[in-house]
Amino acid sequence: MDKAKSIEEIRLIPDIIGEAGIEKDLRVNPEVLSDLLGDKDLRVEEPFFIHYEVNRRQDAFHARINIKGKVHTNCSRCLSPMGYPVDLFLQSDYVPAPPEMVGELEAQRQSADTGYYRREILLGQFIVSELVLSLPIIYVCSDGCKGLCPQCGTNLNEGPCACTRSADPRMQVLAQFKNKL
Ligand SMILES: [Zn+2]
Ligand SMILES: [Zn+2]
């Protein structure tokens, strides 16, 4: 297994991909991922693994990519530490860029299904953009996370707090009733 110094730099030379295609396993160090994500709230503690296979059909290529790893963060509702597993499967065709196409090839994609190449297939750039897009904007430890009590800060997943009871409208009616006595 090869070590990838950066994901963006993963490029393939079409001329050296034969009829049998190519297949590769890469291990990406946590620091490389942390730098890439550039978000201090997202921690990467274990390596990511990238597996790719590229097959050739005349001058068109088909890439299949699997990315596995984990990011660590805190639940946005209850603030508890949580892990978010990444298990992404990507596929893309690569066809020769038409001569009139200028500038960054990955920026000219019309969809995730088809990319363009000139002398190199920019597999890494595709992986980076799809990986970043696959991550949630808000991390929640579970769909049913009850969060923290806005008044006392108790983690309501661990049980109700004293405020829950006094905020109950039935209890307020009862309190008013008692005051009148
Ligand atoms: Zn939570
Ligand atoms: Zn409370």
Side-chain angles (χ1 to χ4, degrees), residues 148-154 156 160-164:
L148 303 179
C149 168
Q151 286 168 57
C152 72
T154 296
L156 298 174
C161 59
C163 322
T164 321

Side-chain angles (χ1 to χ4, degrees), residues 46-151:
E46 303 101 356
F48 269 54
F49 294 93
I50 298 177
H51 173 86
Y52 63 79
E53 286 177 50
V54 180
N55 293 299
R56 171 173 212 142
R57 231 173 295 113
Q58 287 156 351
D59 61 354
F61 295 85
H62 184 71
R64 294 154 57 88
I65 307 152
N66 191 221
I67 304 146
K68 280 195 166 87
K70 199 175 195 181
V71 292
H72 296 265
T73 186
N74 292 79
C75 171
S76 61
R77 286 189 208 157
C78 72
L79 310 181
S80 301
M82 57 171 278
Y84 178 84
V86 173
D87 190 354
L88 202 58
F89 177 68
L90 306 172
Q91 292 195 73
S92 178
D93 287 318
Y94 283 89
V95 297
E100 66 276 15
M101 188 178 271
V102 289
E104 295 266 341
L105 289 181
E106 276 301 302
Q108 322 251 356
R109 268 183 189 270
Q110 305 295 314
S111 75
D113 300 331
T114 309
Y116 304 97
Y117 73 87
R118 291 193 191 99
R119 271 168 304 163
E120 293 175 318
I121 294 174
L122 305 173
L123 205 63
Q125 289 185 15
F126 175 62
I127 294 173
V128 168
S129 54
E130 293 297 313
L131 173 62
V132 169
L133 286 174
S134 78
L135 295 174
I137 296 169
I138 291 173
Y139 290 82
V140 181
C141 67
S142 76
D143 286 343
C145 174
K146 296 191 181 85
L148 303 179
C149 168
Q151 286 168 57

Side-chain angles (χ1 to χ4, degrees), residues 25-60:
D25 282 296
L26 290 170
R27 179 193 158 102
V28 189
N29 280 344
E31 311 84 72
V32 173
L33 262 300
S34 294
D35 287 351
L36 178 72
L37 299 175
D39 182 342
K40 62 176 172 40
D41 294 329
L42 290 183
R43 300 176 303 278
V44 184
E45 293 165 8
E46 303 101 356
F48 269 54
F49 294 93
I50 298 177
H51 173 86
Y52 63 79
E53 286 177 50
V54 180
N55 293 299
R56 171 173 212 142
R57 231 173 295 113
Q58 287 156 351
D59 61 354

